[in-house]
Amino acid sequence: MQYKSQAVAMPYFIAAIGLFVGQIIFGLILGLQYVVGDFLFPEIPFNVARMVHTNLLIVWLLFGFMGAAYYLIPEETETELFSPKLALLLFWVFLVAGAATILGYLLVPYSTLASMTGNDILATMGREFLEQPLLTKIGIVIVALAFLFNITMTVLKGRKTVISIVLLLGLWGLAIFFLFSFYNPVNLVRDKFYWWWVVHLWVEGVWELIMAAMLAFVLIKVTGVDREVIEKWLYVIITLALVTGIIGTGHHYFWIGTPEYWQWWGSIFSALEPIPFFAMTVFAFNMVNRRRREHPNKAAVLWALGTGVMAFLGAGVWGFLHTLAPVNYFTHGSQITAAHGHMAFYGAYVMVVITMISYAMPILRGRAANSEKAQVMEMWAFWLMTIAMVFITLFLTAAGILQVWLQRVSDTPMSFMATQDQLMLFYWMREWAGVMFFVGLLVYLASFFVKGEAKAVATRG
C-alpha cells in the first residue's frame, strides 16, 4: 500500500461483500417463490423480496465503486486522499441508511413506509429499482456529493491521468443521472421516459466508464504494460460506450408511447452496444498477453479476463438477442430480459468490483497477493459462480423462448399464469444453479481466511 489513506477502501470492500451475500440469499428466496408460491408468505411477500434483492445489488455495487475509487485515486494522483475522515464518516452514514431502508422494506408495509418518509410531499416511490423512500434518496445525494467532493479535490491537487479523469467522469455522471429519480411525472409515458435516464444511463452509460477505469487500473498493475498503450484503449472503449449507450436508450422507448422514430434509433444504436464490450474483452486479453511481469496475484488476472468475456456475453450478446424492435415486440418483458439482466450485471459490474477487491485486498492486508492455496480457492469460486451464472442465463433464456411461443406467438396463446406453469422445470433448474452460485460465493468468502505468504513479483523482459 503506497498511501496510508488507501486503507479507507477496506471497510467499503467488506461491506460490499457482505451485502452481496444478502443479495444472493434474497435471490434464492425469490427463485423458490417462483416455484413454491407461498414460500415465506406473508412474512416476506414476493414484491418485497424482489425490492430487497435489486436494491442490495445497487447498494453493494456502489460500495464497491466507492471503495475502488478510494483505493486507486491516491495511486493515480500520487497524493493522499483529500479527507480520509470524511470517507470513513460517509461509509457509516451510507451503511446505516442502507440497512435502515432494507429493514423498512422488510418490517413496514410499503404504503406505510411511503407515508412515514415524506412521499406525500414529493412522490418518488413505487418505481422499479428506485423504490427507495424520499429520505433515503436525499441521503444518497448527500453521500454522493460529499464523496465526489473528496475524490475531486484529491484529483485536483495531484497528478492527472486518463484513468482518474474517466473514473471521475463516470462517478459524476452516476450522481447527476440519479437526480432524475426525484422526477416522477403523473403522465406515465413521461415517467418511463425519464426513469430510463437513471436506469439505462447508469448501467449502459456512466457505469461503463467506471468499469473501464477500474479494469484499466488493475491491468496496468498486474501486467506492467505501458500506461500509454492502456490509455489509448481506454479512449476508444469509452467513446464507443457513450456513443452507442446514450442513443441506445431508445431501445427502451419502443412500446411506451414515444414517437415511432425511436424504434429505428433504438434498434440501430443498441445493436452497436456490443462493440465496446467486445473491445473491452480484446483489450483485457491483449494486455495480459503483452504483460512484462508475472504478477503473483493470478486470481485478480483471472477475474479481469472474466470481466471482459462475461460482460461481452451478458451485456453484448444477450442484449443484442432481443434489442431490435421487431424481435423485442415479442420478447419484451419476458424471461429473456431476466436472462440478459442477470448475466450482464454479473459480467460487467459484479466481476469488475471483485477484480478490484481481489487485487487490492491482499495489499490492504499487507501482502502483494494471497497465498497459492487461497488463490486456488478463489479461482474455484470464480469458476463455480461464473458457470452457475451461465446456467442461470441459459435456463432463463429457454424459459423466455417457451414463454414467448406459448403466450405471444402461438395460434392459441395461453394466459400469463398458465404459461408460468409450463415453465416450472426451467425455474427449478434456475434455482439449483442459484444454489451452485451461492456455494461459489461461500468458497470466495472462505478464501479470505486462508493464510500464507505470496511470492514476490517477477518481472519478465
Side-chain angles (χ1 to χ4, degrees):
M1 189 167 64
Q2 295 183 34
Y3 299 92
K4 291 182 180 180
S5 57
Q6 288 178 289
V8 301
M10 184 178 284
Y12 282 88
F13 289 151
I14 293 172
I17 295 169
L19 294 170
F20 184 24
V21 173
Q23 184 217 341
I24 302 307
I25 290 172
F26 276 92
L28 293 174
I29 291 172
L30 282 171
L32 267 179
Q33 289 181 335
Y34 262 88
V35 291
V36 183
D38 59 354
F39 179 68
L40 291 182
F41 185 85
E43 288 78 13
I44 306 179
F46 180 86
N47 66 306
V48 172
R50 189 177 186 277
M51 273 196 300
V52 175
H53 179 62
T54 55
N55 278 238
L56 281 174
L57 168 67
I58 295 167
V59 171
W60 89 256
L61 288 177
L62 292 178
F63 268 106
F65 291 163
M66 294 169 76
Y70 286 135
Y71 182 87
L72 73 84
I73 285 295
E75 284 197 23
E76 287 295 301
T77 57
E78 297 182 341
T79 183
E80 294 287 357
L81 197 63
F82 179 76
S83 177
K85 291 182 179 179
L86 178 60
L88 288 172
L89 173 63
L90 293 177
F91 167 78
W92 289 109
V93 171
F94 195 24
L95 185 64
V96 171
T101 301
I102 297 300
L103 288 174
Y105 292 156
L106 292 171
L107 301 177
V108 182
Y110 193 67
S111 58
T112 304
L113 184 64
S115 62
M116 289 171 55
T117 55
N119 196 62
D120 52 340
I121 300 172
L122 179 62
T124 68
M125 295 176 66
R127 307 165 81 190
E128 189 179 10
F129 303 121
L130 302 177
E131 298 96 344
Q132 304 86 17
L134 177 62
L135 294 178
T136 301
K137 286 189 174 76
I138 293 172
I140 290 172
V141 171
I142 293 171
V143 168
L145 289 176
F147 161 71
L148 286 167
F149 169 76
N150 206 356
I151 294 297
T152 303
M153 292 301 292
T154 307
V155 172
L156 290 176
K157 74 172 183 172
R159 180 183 66 157
K160 315 298 186 294
T161 68
V162 174
I163 290 175
S164 62
I165 297 302
V166 169
L167 178 65
L168 202 58
L169 181 62
L171 292 170
W172 271 102
L174 184 156
I176 290 169
F177 284 116
F178 183 72
L179 295 177
F180 285 95
S181 68
F182 291 90
Y183 181 55
N184 191 6
V186 175
N187 183 286
L188 188 59
V189 175
R190 295 179 66 191
D191 169 37
K192 298 303 290 184
F193 187 93
Y194 290 108
W195 178 78
W196 285 113
W197 283 32
V198 182
V199 178
H200 173 93
L201 290 174
W202 265 17
V203 300
E204 296 175 68
V206 293
W207 280 27
E208 290 185 26
L209 305 189
I210 299 169
M211 171 193 176
M214 290 165 61
L215 191 60
F217 174 81
V218 173
L219 287 173
I220 286 177
K221 298 300 181 181
V222 300
T223 66
V225 173
D226 289 341
R227 176 178 290 271
E228 291 76 13
V229 175
I230 288 181
E231 288 178 344
K232 288 176 183 177
W233 274 93
L234 195 55
Y235 280 129
V236 173
I237 289 169
I238 65 168
T239 301
L240 290 170
L242 290 177
V243 170
T244 60
I246 291 174
I247 305 178
T249 310
H251 68 226
H252 301 294
Y253 294 162
F254 292 159
W255 323 117
I256 66 170
T258 50
E260 189 175 331
Y261 58 75
W262 279 116
Q263 293 180 23
W264 284 96
W265 283 97
S267 295
I268 292 169
F269 279 88
S270 63
L272 298 174
E273 284 189 60
I275 295 175
F277 288 102
F278 179 71
M280 204 170 293
T281 304
V282 175
F283 162 60
F285 277 87
N286 193 22
M287 294 307 105
V288 171
N289 288 334
R290 296 172 61 174
R291 64 187 181 273
R292 298 191 302 177
R293 68 166 65 106
E294 292 290 345
H295 198 278
N297 196 336
K298 294 179 176 61
V301 176
L302 179 62
W303 282 109
L305 293 175
T307 298
V309 174
M310 294 298 289
F312 171 63
L313 290 175
V317 176
W318 256 262
F320 177 77
L321 287 178
H322 62 137
T323 198
L324 301 178
V327 177
N328 190 264
Y329 179 79
F330 296 99
T331 62
H332 184 77
S334 69
Q335 291 298 330
I336 294 174
T337 305
H340 160 59
H342 278 78
M343 187 181 275
F345 264 104
Y346 175 72
Y349 302 117
V350 171
M351 292 184 81
V352 80
V353 169
I354 296 179
T355 299
M356 192 71 201
I357 293 174
S358 180
Y359 170 75
M361 278 295 276
I363 299 171
L364 290 169
R365 298 169 74 187
R367 61 190 75 141
N370 289 328
S371 67
E372 286 291 327
K373 186 176 179 181
Q375 288 194 58
V376 168
M377 187 176 289
E378 185 177 347
M379 288 188 278
W380 266 103
F382 168 90
W383 287 112
L384 283 169
M385 287 194 283
T386 302
I387 292 171
M389 184 54 67
V390 169
F391 278 112
I392 289 171
T393 304
L394 291 175
F395 294 147
L396 286 173
T397 302
I401 292 170
L402 182 59
Q403 177 186 10
V404 170
W405 174 258
L406 294 176
Q407 189 180 329
R408 302 175 181 180
V409 178
S410 171
D411 292 334
T412 55
M414 301 172 66
S415 68
F416 175 81
M417 291 307 297
T419 301
Q420 295 301 303
D421 287 338
Q422 301 301 312
L423 307 181
M424 286 299 165
L425 174 62
F426 296 110
Y427 291 153
W428 272 115
M429 291 192 292
R430 184 266 303 267
E431 180 69 4
W432 284 112
V435 172
M436 177 180 171
F437 187 96
F438 187 59
V439 170
L441 180 55
L442 294 179
V443 173
Y444 175 69
L445 290 175
S447 72
F448 283 90
F449 300 96
V450 177
K451 296 181 180 180
E453 294 299 323
K455 298 177 183 177
V457 177
T459 305
R460 76 178 192 182

